[in-house]
Every structure is written in C-alpha cells, then in structure tokens.
Amino acid sequence: MPEIAPAATPERPSAAVLGRRADDQPESPNGTRRKLGLLFWLCLGFIALVVFGAIFANVLPLPNPNLQNYSAVDAGPSLHHLLGTDDLGRDLLSRIVFGSRVSLVVGFGGIAIGLAIGGTLGLLAGYKGGAVDTVLNGASFVILAFPPLLAIIVVVAFWGRSLGKLTLIIGIASIPSLFRVIRATTMSYANREFVVAARAMGASTRRILLRELLPNVAPAALSFALIGVALIVVLEGSLAFLGLSVALPTPSWGNIIYEGASNNLLQTDPLIALWPALAMFLLLTSLNVVGDRLRARFDVREGAL
Amino acid sequence: MSEQALLSVENLVVDYGRRHRRVQAVSGVSFAVPERQTLGLVGESGSGKSTTGRCVSFVQRPTGGTVRFAGTDLSTLPARELRRARTKLQMVFQDPISSLNPRRKVIDIVAEPLAIWGGVNRKEMMRRAADMLEAVGMDPAVTGNRRPGELSGGQCQRISVARALMLEPALLVCDEPVSALDVSVQAQILNLLTDLKERYGLTMLFIAHDLAVVKATSDRVAVMYLGKLCELGPVEDLYLSPQHPYSAALVDAVPVPDPRRPVAGPPLSGDMPSPADPPSGCRFRTRCPFAQDICAIEEPPLEEIAPGHLVACHFPTSSR
C-alpha cells in the first residue's frame, strides 16, 4: 500500500532477537533451535528400545518368561541366557522384556488417564476461574489429602489386581496432581491479551481452550507427564514389594525385584534383583532427561521487547 | 450528538473485589462517540481508563450503567447474538508481545477471526490475511510464517491491528497501543492507525496516558481522574484552554521543544488517592492548587461550559 509503505521500514528488531536468529534455519519456529544434545538421543533411544521390546516381546527370540529350566538354576550370564536365570531357572532377560509391558502399560496408561481427565479439568478451571475453579480445586485438595499409596493399596486389595484395574486406579490417583499443574500453567496464560482478543473475536470457549491455551500449556504438561510415568514405574515396584502388583507368575519389573530380594537371594544371587533395578533406573533417568530437554526446547522466548 | 453516536456510554460503574474490600475503578462515566470520530481517553495509571475500554468492547461486564453500540445495549442480547455483535467492536492492547499467541504463526493469527466465523475456505482465508498484513505495512511473504517472538514490538502491534481489522469492525478500542513502544515506532503506529481509520471508516476509542499521543489521533478528548471524567471537549479547546486544573496540569506536562518557553507553573505533587477510599466531594481536591471548602463538600457535576466542552469543576479556569 503506497501511502503507508514508508511505515513498513525497519522497526528496530531488538538486538536480542537479531542476535539469536540463525539465518541458516529460517524454518526455526522460535528463532532459537536449541540443541537437544547427545544425552537426549541416548535416553530417547533407551526408551524406544524398551517400548520396542515390550511391543514385540512375543516375536523376539526369547524363551518363555515363565518356563522353568531346572538344568540352569541361578545361572550367571551366558550365551544361552544373556542375563542369567533366576532360582527357578527362568530366563531373566525374557522376564525383564516381558515385565516391561506391565511397567509401561501402567506408567503410560495411568498418565494418559490422568492427563485426559485431570488435564481437561485443569484447562477448564484455569481458564474459567470463579466457581468452576473453586469446586474443582477443592475436590483436588480432598483427593490429594489421601496418601496415594495407601489409597491404592486399599483399592487394589479389595478390587483385585489385574493390569487393567491397576492402570485405572493409578491413573485416577494421578488426576489431582496433573490437574493442579495444568491448572496453574493455564492460569498464567488465561488473562493474556491474546486470549482476551480471541474472546473479543467471538471465539467459543472450546476453541480458546484448544487453539490458544492448549499449545502453550502442552510443553509443561508433557514434561510433567514424563516424570509422572517415571513415578508410576517406581510405584509399581513399591506395590510389587507389598505383593499388590500383577499376580505373581506374571513378570513385572517390580515382581522380579521382589522375587530377587526374597528367599535370601540377595546374598546368593544379587544379579536377579540387579537387572530389573538397573532397567528401572535407566528408564527413569531417560524419562527425566527427555522430559526436561523437551521442555527447554519448546520453551518460547517471548522477550523481544 | 447522541442520536448519531455509534457508541454511547451512560453512567458506567465498575467495581472490583469482594464486599468488604471493594474498589470502584469507574464511578459513573458517560460519554458518546459519533461515527468515524476518535475519542481520546487520558488519565494516569489507575484512573479507570483501561477498565472503561474493556467494558466498551465487552471483554468485561460493568457493574452498572449501559454501553450502547449503534443504539442497542449489547448486554441485553442473548449470548449467541452478542458473540456475533461483538465482532464489530475490536481491541488493540498495550502489550504487543502478550497480545499474540507465541505458538502460532503470524498468518494464522491474522486469519483466526475468519477461522472462527467460517464460511471461507483456507485459501481464501490466507489470501485475505495476507492482504491485511500488507495493509498494515508488513510483507506477508517474509513475516507470515514467523512467530511473534521473532518480531519487534512495533511489528507485533501491526499484527494486532491487522487481526482486529479482519472482522471489519465499526469500533476499534485501542488500549494504550503505543505505550510500550519506542518513540520512533510510536509515530509509525499512530500514522498507521490514522490511515486505517480513514480507509476503513473506523470509529475509535483511543486510550493513552500521553496527551501528545492523543492529540495526534483524536477529535475529542476525555480526561479521567480516579474513575470519573473531569473534562471532555474538542481536542483543540482542551489543549489551548484546559478548564479543569487536572487537565491543565496534564497539558503543562507535555514537553515543548522550545527552551525559551516559560515553565508553566509547578507540576502536580502527590499521588492519586486510593480508589478504595476516594476523597469526599471533588476527587481531585487533595491535589488541586485551587481547592476551596466547597470542593470537599459538594461534588462538581459535569457541566457544559462551551458548546461540546464539559467540565466537572467548581472553579474552572475561565471563571477564575
């Protein structure tokens, strides 16, 4: 437009922006493509490996995890049994790979339930405020006031301990904390001018939640969710120690550690408990690193002024 | 004037807070803006000017009073019609960064109003958004795919203006649109707003705390102090002969680039009293150099002292 074209002449793009924008990466969404680093890829690789193993456990060349081979009891690592066998002669690698299914389903499934319910309510409460927020927030406090482990133990003991029930119970238990994190993050965006502008344009609540708020809340939610998965994997271990994880012949990481710690096996064959504990340790570290790096990567720098 | 006024505000009252700690941000403000005119609204921080602007654009519900837009009180409309009607009232905000969703591309931000209301396919949406970006002096090919964090404050403000104009509003409420910008960029944005006002036949409510900015854009000016109007008049009258002592102090405070010009009286001292506990009578009396006993007892009404020039003061400049 000729009459206002002069106005288009350069407005000082602030020095900070200029300094940070890499010209060789014009597609860079934030102008700052932070390197994720080798550690991130290693950790992501490990998570991928565990997930791959859990999905294809049946197809992989592994012995039956419950097959008791009395000719190789308490065997150390060998070509035949890469991680050795336990006191009943069951292959430990196979038990760990099959056992990861329980940890992953409980972990990711539980968080998925928590995010679906807690996240949705958190967005709503954080945006709407007022009575909706007061009621939901109060309810979350009431649930949080229960010691979660105790609550889970009681429910599992009475209701049964199949994988599905375990996942559902842990998922429900994770709702209030996910609710609170997402509510708080949403609140920090709910009164920004771009949300007010969307309202002024006549956007529906649903649209504001999905298009304006969710993209801003998602990175924090994702990072917290990954840490939540890690917490649940540990929780499964705790439940197994109390004999409340999935019923026993079925391997789970918690169950294997539990078995490896019983019958004085820690003294005679500490490897049985070590391998699943190591797998758990690596998975938790990986989840934390990946969550943390992703959050840092997707953090938008807003300060152009 | 009130007949053809596009916007008329009557006795607007806005309370904040709960029962015991109630603060009245706006206490009985009335004004009207005729079509295609700009009303400047000035006052210091906390005088209630932004709150007034938010009520006018229906982002916030007033506690009392009415806001009429093109003759209808929008608060009486059912929710669905209100949603459609409010598209005719758009806002530009003070903070250019916070005004734009940091996660979305510029072109999508500008096209969003069309996406909300539908009826056009994506290609057409993008074309119209690109046209609008050009109209606000930005190159859609260069900036369209950027995100707000990569742009300067002035650029962001242009995008806010573009977004506000997509729905072809009749009234644009600008809430301190240039306060956060460098002075050189301020001028560019002000020129842009003036040009667009002509081009799209906009009526504007222009909120600012800088009288010079208001002078450059407005036809009439309203001065607010502690939730009330103290003076309302054509921009030339208000600048040449401000009647309310507060307006006079504001006008004096505008720097004039002339070293030989005599210093105009001492500046105002003190701060604005808390709106939670406003002074009796005239709200400005605690800082007014001309305050008399009557000012503490009786609140001066807003009276017309010249055609179209209203003042709320017992001792306006012309009578002293």
Side-chain angles (χ1 to χ4, degrees), chain A residues 91-154:
Chain A
D91 183 71
L92 276 174
L93 179 63
S94 172
R95 284 185 74 71
I96 286 171
V97 171
F98 276 91
S100 68
R101 287 179 164 184
V102 173
S103 298
L104 290 184
V105 167
V106 172
F108 284 99
I111 285 293
I113 293 172
L115 269 183
I117 300 174
T120 312
L121 294 178
L123 270 177
L124 201 64
Y127 172 60
K128 281 279 179 191
V132 179
D133 184 40
T134 310
V135 170
L136 288 173
N137 201 25
S140 84
F141 272 126
V142 170
I143 301 176
L144 276 177
F146 273 152
L149 188 61
L150 198 65
I152 291 169
I153 288 171
V154 169

Side-chain angles (χ1 to χ4, degrees), chain A residues 11, chain B residues 154 157-158 177-178 181 185-193:
Chain A
E11 273 149 23
Chain B
Q157 211 59 316
R158 284 173 191 275
V178 298
L181 305 176
V185 182
Q186 284 192 358
Q188 293 175 4
I189 298 292
L190 292 178
N191 288 338
L192 174 71
L193 284 171

Side-chain angles (χ1 to χ4, degrees), chain A residues 42-263:
Chain A
L42 282 177
C43 291
L44 194 66
F46 184 75
I47 296 172
L49 184 74
V50 174
V51 171
F52 176 84
I55 293 173
F56 295 107
N58 286 329
V59 191
L60 292 171
L62 291 166
N64 183 329
N66 290 326
L67 179 74
Q68 305 185 352
N69 178 358
Y70 292 107
S71 60
V73 170
D74 277 339
S78 67
L79 267 183
H80 210 63
H81 301 286
L82 284 178
L83 299 181
T85 59
D86 66 6
D87 58 327
L88 296 174
R90 295 176 293 193
D91 183 71
L92 276 174
L93 179 63
S94 172
R95 284 185 74 71
I96 286 171
V97 171
F98 276 91
S100 68
R101 287 179 164 184
V102 173
S103 298
L104 290 184
V105 167
V106 172
F108 284 99
I111 285 293
I113 293 172
L115 269 183
I117 300 174
T120 312
L121 294 178
L123 270 177
L124 201 64
Y127 172 60
K128 281 279 179 191
V132 179
D133 184 40
T134 310
V135 170
L136 288 173
N137 201 25
S140 84
F141 272 126
V142 170
I143 301 176
L144 276 177
F146 273 152
L149 188 61
L150 198 65
I152 291 169
I153 288 171
V154 169
V155 177
V156 170
F158 277 98
W159 195 31
R161 32 196 265 217
S162 73
L163 186 58
K165 286 177 182 172
L166 215 56
T167 309
L168 186 61
I169 292 160
I170 292 179
I172 291 170
S174 73
I175 290 174
S177 33
L178 285 163
F179 165 80
R180 297 196 59 77
V181 168
I182 288 170
R183 167 180 172 269
T185 318
T186 306
M187 281 170 82
S188 73
Y189 286 98
N191 286 318
R192 296 272 180 106
E193 277 91 345
F194 67 83
V195 179
V196 178
R199 261 194 290 151
M201 293 184 298
S204 59
T205 300
R206 194 186 136 93
R207 192 178 185 93
I208 290 173
L209 290 183
L210 293 181
R211 301 293 281 272
E212 308 289 346
L213 291 171
L214 185 62
N216 286 295
V217 171
L222 179 73
S223 147
F224 189 76
L226 285 176
I227 292 168
V229 171
L231 285 174
I232 293 179
V233 170
V234 175
L235 183 67
E236 188 274 327
S238 317
L239 286 175
F241 249 83
L242 298 165
L244 289 172
S245 183
V246 287
L248 246 188
T250 314
S252 81
W253 288 0
N255 280 348
I256 307 171
I257 299 177
Y258 172 65
E259 288 169 343
S262 53
N263 295 338

Side-chain angles (χ1 to χ4, degrees), chain B residues 21 47 87 90 103 147 182 188 191 200 206 259 298 302:
Chain B
R21 309 180 68 188
S47 57
T87 61
Q90 289 297 305
R103 299 261 161 214
R147 268 160 239 258
D182 285 355
Q188 293 175 4
N191 288 338
Y200 293 92
F206 196 98
E298 198 179 312
L302 194 64

